[in-house]
Amino acid sequence: SRQGWRTHAILGGNHSQFYGLAQLYAGVDSFVDGGTLRQGEPESTWYVNDDRFVLDRAARLPAWDGTPTMLQFHLMSAHQLGRRETPGRPWGPAKGYYPGIPNPVDQAVNWYDNGVAQTDDMIRRLVATLNARGYLRDALVVVTAAHGEALGEHGLFTHANTVRAPVLRVPLLLMAFGEARLPALQPRRAASQIDVAPTLLTALGVRPPATWSGRSLTEPAPAGLLGFQQGPEVGLIDTRDPAGALWKYWVDTRS
């Protein structure tokens, strides 16, 4: 906003009532999520985690007029709470899974894979909408995730319950559309979610705040430590090995 950009957030799920997260969006030009749907509007009857709401609101965006704009979207299709569309479920048998509820691993994997396939389709439809509204004439697009998912590894399912690899590993795609050009990224043994924002600012010619811990992926990767935590489990990924190995250390503070 300080750089003259418009900022809009269209988020599936209930961010406005999730542990004070809404206050982080206080400065955006517009904010709507599954928890702020107004009664009387057509989508107010939708499930809070229904990604069709995100697509509908994206289609209502005004045509891009050339003003620099940041759009953030959040999709729930791959989440166990997300609404699944009945058509287009290529893998079966599939069954939803929840913490503490036994479920055959193959059915849980199929359920999750169907959600990933639906997410892919939602992203395709979202990109098509943005293109039709003119936003991809000059745009950088990032696709990433909040977390991974345990699907039976170590007897665990879902997330928010471990710092093991299936939960820590997330996708990161950086794409350029129209007149935009991707910045040259430097090889890195490991990257973190906190590196995404400085990478974008650097690509846009904006100096990242000195207080940020993340480092732009356009810069040579410094050898160092990346932190992570989930509840009582906390640890570090160490990239300082001169032989190039990644070392991961973590402890369960309960034990």
Side-chain angles (χ1 to χ4, degrees):
S1 296
R2 296 189 186 109
Q3 300 293 327
W5 285 56
R6 294 174 183 159
T7 53
H8 303 282
I10 303 176
L11 314 175
N14 191 346
H15 296 243
S16 56
Q17 299 175 17
F18 188 79
Y19 296 99
L21 188 61
Q23 64 183 326
L24 301 179
Y25 293 95
V28 300
D29 293 299
S30 70
F31 171 93
V32 63
D33 72 346
T36 57
L37 299 178
R38 293 191 297 271
Q39 292 299 318
E41 293 191 4
E43 66 267 27
S44 65
T45 59
W46 291 1
Y47 176 46
V48 64
N49 298 319
D50 191 336
D51 286 342
R52 294 177 303 170
F53 151 71
V54 176
L55 296 176
D56 177 78
R57 283 303 180 103
R60 297 191 202 179
L61 288 168
W64 188 54
D65 62 3
T67 302
T69 304
M70 176 189 168
L71 303 170
Q72 182 189 359
F73 302 96
H74 185 261
L75 300 173
M76 292 289 291
S77 288
H79 198 284
Q80 74 263 33
L81 298 179
R83 178 192 176 276
R84 303 294 177 87
E85 296 186 356
T86 301
R89 294 183 180 179
W91 291 286
K95 184 179 180 182
Y97 53 91
Y98 298 92
I101 300 178
N103 191 15
V105 171
D106 58 341
Q107 295 186 27
V109 170
N110 287 340
W111 175 266
Y112 186 73
D113 286 350
N114 287 334
V116 172
Q118 179 172 307
T119 300
D120 288 346
D121 187 58
M122 290 292 175
I123 293 172
R124 177 189 64 80
R125 294 159 68 179
L126 191 56
V127 168
T129 296
L130 294 176
N131 186 51
R133 307 303 294 162
Y135 288 92
L136 298 189
R137 296 204 306 266
D138 181 9
L140 293 176
V141 174
V142 175
V143 178
T144 188
H147 52 76
E149 191 82 342
L151 295 169
E153 302 92 341
H154 304 281
L156 298 171
F157 287 89
T158 73
H159 51 274
N161 55 7
T162 185
V163 293
R164 295 183 183 274
V167 173
L168 288 187
R169 299 191 66 179
V170 297
L172 175 60
L173 305 177
L174 179 61
M175 299 167 283
F177 291 84
E179 299 178 11
R181 295 293 179 267
L182 284 177
L185 304 184
Q186 299 297 316
R188 187 169 292 195
R189 298 179 191 173
S192 173
Q193 290 166 318
I194 61 173
D195 298 325
V196 175
T199 300
L200 282 176
L201 288 189
T202 301
L204 298 171
V206 179
R207 184 184 299 275
T211 54
W212 284 8
S213 298
R215 296 288 296 272
S216 172
L217 299 176
T218 62
E219 302 175 4
L225 304 171
L226 297 174
F228 54 83
Q229 180 176 0
Q230 177 61 60
E233 296 184 1
V234 60
L236 297 165
I237 292 175
D238 189 343
T239 67
R240 298 174 298 180
D241 188 338
L246 284 177
W247 292 87
K248 177 183 176 183
Y249 307 91
W250 66 276
V251 297
D252 186 333
T253 58
R254 293 167 299 191
S255 59

